[in-house]
């Protein structure tokens, strides 16, 4: 399937096959094809590109994953990169590798997005490093994030709050603090959401609600910043779990053990250990899937930071997830639930 297909073409094709054959097998081929077998779409972004010069960009969550790769990539493009790292003060391996580049244009900064004082300190570090702070800072990439899993009845309020504190309130906190600098440069805010910020998924509610929140925040900010000349973009990656540290097999097991131990007796009894273990196993399988190449995500963020006319939303994901997202977001719930959920 070519990326130039319109949504209608895809949907009409999908439905004609589904209806004509009336067979679940066709539906499965079209809609349930294992994502790992479908190549990740490589969109070529054709657009006038602004000169990078020594524009300054701050990226959060650079200890690992997308943030780590992005910091190095933006540095190679000529940006002055401030790489916010959660564990800089603990000498994390990712931080050491970034520091080992020994470049004036790549500076790691201690930054826990949940801590107001660390965010304010990072603003000061950036401001004092700029040649002319009155000209501001070009870009902010809100990338730091955590995830978890578990059905609503398995998830504690504490977990909901922990995930929101990083993914949602962390994004809001950092954005508010850096906006005065970004506004001065008429720069860019790029928020890393997720396909799960557009469509929900069972057993992912703590993550989904934070990413839906990031989407809403980004839209409000985009409307407000338009008159100021600041562009706000959202990047919604698909499944790249195999390429980053968002989940690990040990992490899933540890989370599952804690969750089971803390479950209210009635929930434990009603669902039973067998059901619970099946859900954990499904999560483990999901975490072994996905693309191992983060290039589409890095390209999308780079385009958002450099293009004269960046897109509002970027969808670096394979065709399976792209089609699923279109169906989940454009068709009535009664249909999309039937196709993907029930
Ligand atoms: N991987 C995917 O499939 C996928 C899909 C869609 C969206 N995303 C989003 O992409 C972003 C990056 O995730 P990733 O996949 O690259 O995972 P990752 O490798 O775990 O990267 C997330 C980074 O955020 C850092 N972090 C965690 N809590 C933080 C805090 N309180 N303050 C500052 N930094 C913090 C982590 O630090 P430590 O490593 O030290 O914990 C890590 O470096 C996240 O927003 C995630 O939701 C990922």
């Amino acid at each position: 399937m070519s990326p130039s297909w319109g949504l209608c073409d895809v949907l009409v094709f999908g439905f004609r096959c589904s209806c004509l054959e009336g067979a679940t097998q066709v539906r499965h081929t079209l809609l349930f094809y294992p994502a790992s077998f479908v190549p990740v779409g490589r969109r070529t972004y054709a657009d006038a590109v602004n000169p990078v010069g020594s524009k300054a960009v701050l990226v959060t969550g650079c200890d690992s994953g997308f943030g780590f790769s992005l910091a190095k990539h933006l540095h190679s493009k000529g940006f002055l990169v401030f790489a916010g790292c959660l564990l800089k003060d603990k000498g994390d391996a990712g931080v050491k590798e970034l520091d080992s580049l020994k470049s004036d244009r790549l500076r790691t900064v201690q930054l826990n997005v949940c801590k107001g004082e660390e965010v304010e300190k990072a603003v000061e570090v950036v401001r004092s490093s700029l040649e002319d702070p009155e000209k501001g800072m070009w870009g902010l990439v809100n990338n730091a994030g955590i995830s978890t899993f578990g059905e609503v009845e398995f998830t504690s309020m504490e977990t909901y709050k922990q995930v929101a504190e990083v993914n949602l309130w962390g994004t809001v906190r950092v954005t508010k603090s850096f906006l005065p600098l970004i506004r001065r440069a008429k720069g860019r805010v790029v928020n890393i959401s997720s396909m799960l910020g557009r469509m929900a998924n069972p057993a992912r509610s703590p993550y989904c609600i934070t990413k839906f929140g990031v989407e809403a925040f980004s839209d409000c900010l985009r409307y407000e910043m338009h008159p100021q000349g600041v562009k706000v973009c959202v990047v919604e990656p698909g499944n790249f779990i195999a390429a980053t540290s968002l989940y690990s097999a040990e992490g899933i097991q540890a989370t599952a053990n804690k969750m089971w131990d803390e479950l209210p007796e009635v929930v434990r009894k009603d669902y039973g250990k067998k059901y619970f273990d099946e859900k954990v196993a499904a999560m483990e399988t999901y975490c072994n899937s996905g693309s191992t190449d983060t290039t589409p995500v890095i390209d999308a963020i780079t385009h958002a930071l450099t293009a004269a006319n960046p897109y509002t939303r970027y969808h670096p994901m394979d065709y399976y997830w792209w089609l699923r997202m279109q169906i989940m977001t454009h068709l009535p719930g009664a249909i999309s639930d039937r196709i993907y959920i029930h």
Side-chain angles (χ1 to χ4, degrees):
M1 188 188 306
S2 145
S4 61
W5 276 33
L7 170 64
C8 288
D9 300 331
V10 173
L11 293 182
V12 168
F13 178 55
F15 274 104
R16 276 184 55 202
C17 289
S18 247
C19 299
L20 286 177
E21 307 289 331
T24 22
Q25 205 194 337
V26 171
R27 213 172 58 154
H28 276 216
T29 312
L30 261 176
L31 307 175
F32 297 92
Y33 201 64
S36 49
F37 296 152
V38 183
V40 168
R42 286 189 182 277
R43 185 166 193 170
T44 310
Y45 299 111
D47 204 340
V49 168
N50 285 324
V52 168
S54 56
K55 283 176 173 157
V57 174
L58 180 124
V59 183
T60 65
C62 292
D63 309 60
S64 60
F66 299 149
F68 175 78
S69 306
L70 182 69
K72 290 208 290 191
H73 179 72
L74 294 178
H75 172 255
S76 75
K77 289 257 168 204
F79 280 100
L80 164 58
V81 181
F82 295 92
C85 296
L86 176 65
L87 299 177
K88 177 175 166 69
D89 56 1
K90 306 247 173 2
D92 179 69
V95 182
K96 280 191 182 148
E97 193 175 329
L98 293 177
D99 283 339
S100 73
L101 292 177
K102 296 196 187 320
S103 167
D104 256 8
R105 286 189 300 100
L106 179 48
R107 305 176 196 178
T108 55
V109 183
Q110 172 58 39
L111 183 53
N112 180 342
V113 299
C114 303
K115 293 193 173 165
E117 62 280 18
E118 287 195 11
V119 175
E120 290 315 316
K121 231 173 167 176
V123 173
E124 269 328 297
V125 168
V126 172
R127 197 198 308 274
S128 60
S129 310
L130 295 172
E131 253 174 46
D132 181 357
E134 271 313 301
K135 288 193 176 154
M137 170 181 116
W138 177 252
L140 166 65
V141 182
N142 283 304
N143 164 74
I146 57 173
S147 192
T148 188
F149 65 95
E151 297 185 11
V152 172
E153 287 198 84
F154 299 164
T155 305
S156 66
M157 281 311 296
E158 191 198 352
T159 299
Y160 279 110
K161 288 178 188 170
Q162 274 169 357
V163 181
E165 192 53 47
V166 181
N167 295 4
L168 181 54
W169 305 132
T171 296
V172 175
R173 184 179 292 111
V174 174
T175 304
K176 280 170 66 62
S177 296
F178 277 97
L179 268 180
L181 282 175
I182 300 281
R183 270 193 289 102
R184 276 164 176 70
K186 297 192 187 303
R188 306 277 161 93
V189 178
V190 183
N191 292 333
I192 312 305
S193 173
S194 166
M195 62 180 177
L196 296 184
R198 298 289 301 287
M199 57 174 175
N201 219 28
R204 301 295 301 280
S205 65
Y207 186 72
C208 288
I209 59 179
T210 64
K211 293 298 185 178
F212 272 67
V214 167
E215 298 275 345
F217 174 66
S218 306
D219 283 345
C220 296
L221 188 68
R222 188 176 76 256
Y223 306 147
E224 293 174 16
M225 285 296 121
H226 181 76
Q228 307 272 354
V230 173
K231 294 197 163 82
V232 180
C233 306
V234 190
V235 177
E236 299 164 347
N239 181 6
F240 291 85
I241 281 171
T244 74
S245 312
L246 204 57
Y247 285 102
S248 66
E250 310 81 63
I252 289 174
Q253 210 41 66
T255 305
N257 293 342
K258 184 169 183 290
M259 205 185 285
W260 180 256
D261 288 347
E262 292 175 357
L263 278 188
E265 193 49 43
V266 62
V267 176
R268 219 183 292 180
K269 198 162 151 275
D270 288 352
Y271 284 88
K273 188 77 165 76
K274 185 168 173 287
Y275 178 91
F276 182 85
D277 286 343
E278 279 167 10
K279 292 291 169 186
V280 175
M283 193 62 202
E284 281 170 340
T285 306
Y286 176 67
C287 289
N288 288 325
S289 66
S291 174
T292 51
D293 178 10
T294 59
T295 312
V297 179
I298 304 303
D299 285 351
I301 301 171
T302 306
H303 187 267
L305 287 170
T306 56
N309 295 300
Y311 302 132
T312 302
R313 287 187 161 77
Y314 292 81
H315 307 121
M317 61 184 69
D318 60 45
Y319 296 126
Y320 167 82
W321 286 111
W322 183 85
L323 180 56
R324 179 165 169 160
M325 192 174 82
Q326 301 306 326
I327 289 177
M328 297 282 281
T329 52
H330 288 82
L331 294 191
I335 298 173
S336 56
D337 286 10
R338 178 113 202 279
I339 297 174
Y340 286 115
I341 310 294
H342 304 310

